[in-house]
Amino acid sequence: TPLAVAVARHDRVALVYTVTDRPFRLSLDLPVEAWRARWVDPTTFDEHPAGRALPGRALRFCPDRRNAAGDPDWLLLLEPDL
């Protein structure tokens, strides 16, 4: 699955862009105890929960619907789960 991954703000925010609605695995080895994941529609910036991620564990993510434009691409936003 084609992905683009960015990590910013001193390893405190991670952003993944996927162009397909296929599942992918992601492992974040960053100094955060747990991550909160949200899907962000790149056409409207509406958000919905995508679960939690723990460091050092590869988790499976898969968009559960098409975006508002009817396309399969999504942003996965991960922030520390405080």
Side-chain angles (χ1 to χ4, degrees):
T1 300
L3 298 173
V5 179
V7 178
R9 290 191 203 162
H10 306 289
D11 299 337
R12 303 296 287 178
V13 174
L15 185 65
V16 178
Y17 176 70
T18 179
V19 297
T20 74
D21 53 4
R22 290 191 227 151
F24 61 90
R25 289 196 168 284
L26 183 66
S27 179
L28 292 173
D29 231 0
L30 299 171
V32 173
E33 290 185 24
W35 294 88
R36 181 172 45 108
R38 291 177 285 162
W39 289 113
V40 179
D41 184 328
T43 65
T44 63
F45 298 105
D46 289 338
E47 299 178 4
H48 67 273
R52 290 182 76 225
L54 300 174
R57 293 183 52 192
L59 294 178
R60 181 182 179 272
F61 289 98
C62 184
D64 60 355
R65 61 186 109 168
R66 296 270 172 147
N67 65 33
D71 296 320
D73 61 321
W74 281 93
L75 296 167
L76 181 65
L77 176 64
L78 296 115
E79 297 178 297
D81 192 5
L82 304 173

